[in-house]
Amino acid sequence: SPLGEAGSYCCTQRNHDAWTEIATEVDVVVVGGGVAGLTAINTLLNHNVTDVVLLEAQDRLGGRVRTYRQDGVVVEDGAEWIHGDERNALHRLASSLLELDENPPADDDWDWHWVTEEGQPGRVLDYAKLMKLFEETEQPGLLEPYYDTGYGYYYLDRFPEVFPPSTPHQEGLLHYLHQIVNSDEGTGSWLDMSAEDADQYEHQGEDFQWKNGYDTLITYLKETIPETVVHLSTPVTQVVWDCPEFPSQALVVTQNGKAFRARHILVTVPSAYLQKNHLTMFQPRLPSDFLHNLEGVRLGVANKIQVGWAEPWWGKGLYALDILWSHFNLPPHMCWLYSVVSAFSVHQQKAVVELFVTGNSSLYMEELQEDEVKDHVMHLIRKASGQAVPEPTFFRRTRWSRDPWTLGSYATYITVEGHEAGLRNHSQLAQPIKNSAGHTVLLWAGEHTHNTRYGTVDGAMDTGNAEALRILGLLKPSSP
Ligand SMILES: Cc1cc2nc3c(=O)[nH]c(=O)nc-3n(C[C@H](O)[C@H](O)[C@H](O)COP(=O)(O)OP(=O)(O)OC[C@H]3O[C@@H](n4cnc5c(N)ncnc54)[C@H](O)[C@@H]3O)c2cc1C
């Protein structure tokens, strides 16, 4: 029985008693200082639950919100857009802080090119039809017949209806569509993601941006948290969540030798981190239902490459290059570039462009030396733009799958296999876990636990708030 296992763990591990003795007692431990964890702590503090700690593995807060600044260049390693208009709570927050860029660029602001990798112009009408097709799945009901399969099958069926075989560059157009779906979802293949999951995502309008970088949000969220609550560079290594010796608490041990006994532990670490580390992190082993659900999701790997110059070589305005691959004849070591289908100006940076790389290509790119990545990207930009583009003065690429505290980027999606095995929505991963004494010790929040806004900052914040409210309910003394 779980009690027996937990009991024997507690009694036989000699160092366990030592940890228990030194452990600081608190009401709540929040594991992970991304936006979910920060929001949870703020909700608890706002409701006067002050006996709380936030344990963050890294020496900074923010997790997948990470703004990089160098010599006047500001780029986002992680989250970049607020995905939604006034309907979106984060949009409203940024607006109320006077930190929202209220006027996203209009179509006319872009110096836009739709070209093959050789620099030949594509047909603008085809591009328009592609975008319409891409957005079609937002309409209710269209994906329903595909619920038991991969999201991409919808597009594979519809594509030949819109682009018959006689269409020039038919293969390249399909490839473009696949890649923009991949960069939207973080998938490596659009067949990997459950169509039902894709359909559950709630669109909330156009994208907006922060005026002065996404980390404005982190500064705002941490402003109200006392310094004593936050423990940076404090990875949690063990959570003993079912121990008969202290039935209404769990023990949390950190790599740097701290220990806490708390009534509730809210775990907000990324899904891929949980998948990799749950066996060593949780004692006893997490319930099999939970693990079954955890197996049904995957965290996508998308990376960014940012290239900058002292002055924009394209002239004035914002630059955008959309690439219609036509020949697929790159040498093998450069094949990862096929997943790149656009380069576009970075928000408020007059001479920096950004490219997205997804899936296996993204993993391959992470393994390359930075100079190789730069050479490959410059080869592509020069050929496709048809210009003698100078060597860049700024170059950066992310490597999210190698980040030990994240092991991926966005979004956590339900796989086709996960759907087949019964996982229908992300909130199944937010089900709190009770110990043998019936006490709710373990709770879950983070991007991966949101049903309709998984993979977003606002979704992650929402889950942090919701779980903090759940904890408040649990902490309330029951009426006599
Ligand atoms: C490249 C990229 C682009 C994105 N673009 C957008 C976008 O444009 N718009 C948008 O809305 N969203 C975007 N996202 C997604 C968004 O960033 C995430 O959904 C959101 O930030 C997740 O927040 P979280 O708190 O759930 O997780 P995280 O931010 O990952 O926070 C989890 C925290 O847990 C910590 N941790 C891990 N293990 C331990 C441990 N053992 N002990 C203690 N702490 C630990 C981590 O260090 C981390 O700080 C993007 C993400 C990436 C990577």
Side-chain angles (χ1 to χ4, degrees):
S1 76
L3 180 67
E5 280 166 28
S8 63
Y9 172 82
C10 293
C11 303
T12 55
Q13 301 288 309
R14 222 181 297 134
N15 69 352
H16 182 262
D17 292 342
W19 283 123
T20 309
E21 236 162 69
I22 66 151
T24 310
E25 284 202 48
V26 290
D27 281 334
V28 185
V29 167
V30 174
V31 183
V35 291
L38 288 167
T39 305
I41 285 282
N42 272 309
T43 300
L44 292 169
L45 292 173
N46 285 341
H47 288 83
N48 300 320
V49 176
T50 52
D51 199 7
V52 293
V53 289
L54 175 67
L55 307 180
E56 166 53 51
Q58 303 183 56
D59 60 3
R60 54 171 280 279
L61 293 168
R64 281 172 274 173
V65 174
R66 194 168 79 196
T67 306
Y68 179 81
R69 293 182 161 80
Q70 182 194 307
D71 305 332
V73 175
V74 182
V75 289
E76 303 293 347
D77 286 349
E80 190 158 345
W81 291 275
I82 295 170
H83 293 304
D85 52 30
E86 293 77 10
R87 284 168 277 180
N88 180 291
L90 186 57
H91 179 110
R92 296 196 298 275
L93 173 66
S95 184
S96 73
L97 297 173
L98 305 179
E99 291 288 353
L100 184 75
D101 183 356
E102 307 265 2
N103 299 306
D107 286 353
D108 289 352
D109 297 331
W110 293 94
D111 174 11
W112 177 69
H113 305 263
W114 168 234
V115 289
T116 68
E117 74 277 24
E118 313 278 350
Q120 301 302 314
R123 299 195 305 185
V124 174
L125 184 64
D126 284 346
Y127 184 81
K129 287 201 286 190
L130 265 182
M131 295 323 280
K132 197 159 169 272
L133 178 55
F134 170 58
E135 285 164 12
E136 206 169 81
T137 54
E138 291 176 25
Q139 293 168 36
L142 292 184
L143 282 174
E144 251 171 61
Y146 294 85
Y147 274 8
D148 290 333
T149 64
Y151 180 32
Y153 283 108
Y154 174 83
Y155 289 115
L156 287 177
D157 280 355
R158 277 287 287 143
F159 184 82
E161 294 169 14
V162 182
F163 297 102
S166 56
T167 312
H169 299 306
Q170 196 209 26
E171 189 191 355
L173 291 166
L174 180 63
H175 177 79
Y176 183 90
L177 181 64
H178 186 190
Q179 298 315 313
I180 57 171
V181 170
N182 282 344
S183 55
D184 200 37
E185 306 292 353
T187 47
S189 159
W190 54 10
L191 301 184
D192 203 23
M193 178 184 196
S194 141
E196 181 168 6
D197 193 30
D199 211 18
Q200 287 189 55
Y201 180 83
E202 185 191 331
H203 295 269
Q204 297 184 337
E206 296 296 307
D207 289 344
F208 285 82
Q209 289 184 277
W210 293 82
K211 261 189 213 161
N212 301 303
Y214 228 115
D215 58 356
T216 306
L217 173 64
I218 306 305
T219 307
Y220 166 77
L221 289 174
K222 67 183 186 195
E223 227 165 47
T224 38
I225 306 176
E227 266 177 34
T228 46
V229 166
V230 178
H231 298 241
L232 293 177
S233 306
T234 306
V236 169
T237 46
Q238 269 186 52
V239 178
V240 184
W241 60 274
D242 195 2
C243 213
E245 293 159 21
F246 38 92
S248 59
Q249 285 178 323
L251 172 73
V252 176
V253 176
T254 74
Q255 201 177 61
N256 54 359
K258 296 179 186 171
F260 300 88
R261 273 166 68 169
R263 294 168 58 76
H264 307 286
I265 318 286
L266 177 59
V267 181
T268 75
V269 303
S271 58
Y273 182 88
L274 260 188
Q275 286 171 332
K276 182 169 178 212
N277 295 296
H278 70 86
L279 271 181
T280 51
M281 194 168 172
F282 295 94
Q283 268 104 39
R285 202 183 146 104
L286 291 170
S288 52
D289 284 359
F290 182 88
L291 294 180
H292 179 78
N293 289 333
L294 187 62
E295 265 176 36
V297 294
R298 186 165 299 143
L299 177 58
V301 187
N303 277 298
K304 295 179 179 182
I305 297 172
Q306 292 138 349
V307 196
W309 298 266
E311 292 299 325
W313 47 264
W314 54 85
K316 284 203 189 109
L318 304 172
Y319 188 70
L321 193 64
D322 276 296
I323 300 164
L324 174 60
W325 285 94
S326 61
H327 282 102
F328 298 96
N329 58 1
L330 287 171
H333 66 289
M334 286 172 81
C335 283
W336 67 273
L337 282 174
Y338 293 140
S339 101
V340 176
V341 291
S342 71
F344 52 88
S345 282
V346 173
H347 183 236
Q348 292 182 351
Q349 305 300 302
K350 68 179 173 125
V352 182
V353 297
E354 177 165 282
L355 307 89
F356 271 74
V357 196
T358 55
N360 285 342
S361 300
S362 200
L363 295 173
Y364 185 88
M365 183 279 291
E366 288 192 37
E367 297 296 318
L368 296 176
Q369 298 296 317
E370 189 156 300
D371 275 352
E372 282 178 283
V373 178
K374 185 159 60 168
D375 287 350
H376 295 178
V377 164
M378 289 311 297
H379 170 86
L380 176 60
I381 294 179
R382 285 181 180 127
K383 279 214 111 171
S385 70
Q387 297 207 38
V389 180
E391 271 303 288
T393 51
F394 176 89
F395 185 86
R396 189 166 172 79
R397 52 96 183 248
T398 59
R399 296 161 115 182
W400 281 105
S401 86
R402 294 162 68 111
D403 180 326
W405 309 112
T406 316
L407 302 167
S409 43
Y410 68 90
T412 301
Y413 58 93
I414 297 175
T415 60
V416 174
E417 293 79 12
H419 184 270
E420 275 167 11
L423 184 62
R424 289 293 180 273
N425 57 59
H426 293 253
S427 58
Q428 288 175 248
L429 287 168
Q431 281 303 308
I433 293 176
K434 291 184 179 176
N435 65 13
S436 325
H439 177 76
T440 306
V441 273
L442 272 183
L443 298 99
W444 310 95
E447 166 266 313
H448 60 286
T449 63
H450 202 290
N451 271 345
T452 56
R453 297 288 295 175
Y454 52 85
T456 66
V457 170
D458 57 278
M461 292 173 72
D462 210 14
T463 64
N465 182 52
E467 293 311 308
L469 292 176
R470 199 199 297 262
I471 291 173
L472 284 168
L474 294 166
L475 283 172
K476 245 190 234 148
S478 46
S479 35

